Amino acid sequence: MKEELIMDTKERLIVALDLAERERVLGLVSQLHDCCGMFKVGLEPFCNYGPAFVKEIQEAGGRVFLDLKFHDIPRTVAQAGRAAARLGVAMFNVHIAGGREMLRAVVEEVEDETGGKRMPLIIGVTVLTSLGAEELFNDLGIERQPLDQVLFWAEIAKECGLSGVVASPREIAAIRERFGEDFLIVTPGIRPAGSSAGDQKRISTPGEAINAGADYIVVGRPILQAVDSREAARRILREMEESRDERK
């Protein structure tokens, strides 16, 4: 369920800590914790430093989006979800491709672990932003276009009680129209104007994503690789705020 309170702009920004160097990551958390809502901890830093690293980020003032994309048999994912809840993360994700039984199991176990209070947001991964129609067909045997596949998986996620989905900027408007305002959309593939796309195929600017209806945007390299990471984050916040003003 979508949070009742209207989020401040900074709460909508998630900074992706996709770096291997522990001290550099903690330094960035110290610099940025008051100008973003969460820090995304993905596979590389988590595998390097483990659950204790999540606690270090929390102790430094950061809320954590645990981006491990759980995808396994139902019991395994359900127990991983329990562990994520015990870590106190604000959000974690699972692959919708794991199926309805897996999705329902993780929601039920996390509700049981938390007593339904202060539950982490459970977000379903749809189509990775590194994949286009050609990769979906040639590599995964999926004949739907990316938008159709995203909507198919998003419907399953909502049916199974997930908080929302991860989806590229190109699918935001269609998800919002079909599933309403109470279904969260977390959007990676965000690149400020003039930035390199890197390995992402379905990208957008911060302003475009907010205008389309994203609840959270995830930004990594444009902040991490900036000469002044704090100023880079603040520029993104200004663009988001201007876009919100335009929508009013």
Side-chain angles (χ1 to χ4, degrees):
M1 182 65 69
K2 195 167 180 177
E3 294 168 334
E4 293 296 329
L5 297 176
I6 297 175
M7 292 181 289
D8 292 336
T9 300
K10 81 175 188 69
E11 299 301 322
R12 296 175 177 269
L13 175 61
I14 300 173
V15 176
L17 298 175
D18 294 328
L19 296 168
E21 302 89 352
R22 176 178 168 278
E23 294 306 320
R24 187 176 172 212
V25 168
L26 293 176
L28 283 166
V29 173
S30 178
Q31 288 181 48
L32 300 172
H33 72 87
D34 62 344
C35 55
C36 69
M38 280 183 247
F39 293 98
K40 182 176 79 69
V41 175
L43 289 166
E44 184 177 8
F46 191 83
C47 288
N48 278 325
Y49 305 113
F53 189 54
V54 171
K55 291 295 186 185
E56 286 186 274
I57 292 170
Q58 292 166 333
E59 289 166 1
R63 300 170 72 225
V64 173
F65 165 24
L66 189 62
D67 177 30
L68 302 184
K69 299 182 179 70
F70 298 141
H71 186 176
D72 211 307
I73 62 173
R75 185 183 183 282
T76 297
V77 171
Q79 295 307 310
R82 271 191 180 271
R86 285 195 295 271
L87 267 178
V89 302
M91 177 189 293
F92 70 88
N93 56 12
V94 298
H95 270 290
I96 300 169
R100 288 178 174 85
E101 185 181 352
M102 185 199 82
L103 299 176
R104 291 191 179 109
V106 71
V107 171
E108 289 171 4
E109 290 295 321
V110 171
E111 286 178 343
D112 183 67
E113 178 67 32
T114 62
K117 298 176 182 177
R118 298 181 64 84
M119 278 183 62
L121 299 170
I122 305 175
I123 303 295
V125 177
T126 55
V127 177
L128 298 175
T129 52
S130 59
L131 300 177
E134 184 177 349
E135 289 82 8
L136 277 181
F137 181 73
N138 291 335
D139 300 343
L140 302 178
I142 294 174
E143 296 184 0
R144 295 186 184 92
Q145 290 296 303
L147 174 59
D148 295 329
Q149 187 63 34
V150 167
L151 292 173
F152 173 73
W153 273 334
E155 187 166 355
I156 291 174
K158 184 159 189 178
E159 174 190 323
C160 293
L162 271 65
S163 308
V165 291
V166 179
S168 91
R170 297 187 186 179
E171 291 95 43
I172 297 169
I175 294 170
R176 183 64 67 223
E177 180 180 0
R178 180 172 296 189
F179 301 106
E181 295 297 321
D182 288 336
F183 195 60
L184 290 171
I185 302 173
V186 179
T187 303
I190 299 298
R191 295 290 185 271
S195 297
S196 168
D199 56 2
Q200 307 278 10
K201 289 187 169 60
R202 298 176 354 265
I203 65 172
S204 181
T205 68
E208 289 167 345
I210 293 298
N211 268 327
D215 294 291
Y216 297 93
I217 66 169
V218 181
V219 185
R221 280 167 277 190
I223 293 176
L224 304 183
Q225 296 176 358
V227 174
D228 186 336
S229 293
R230 184 176 176 82
E231 179 54 31
R234 291 174 68 85
R235 283 198 301 270
I236 289 169
L237 291 177
R238 286 194 292 271
E239 182 177 343
M240 293 166 67
E241 190 64 44
E242 288 167 2
S243 297
R244 289 184 69 185
D245 290 343
E246 289 172 5
R247 295 181 67 196
K248 292 177 181 177

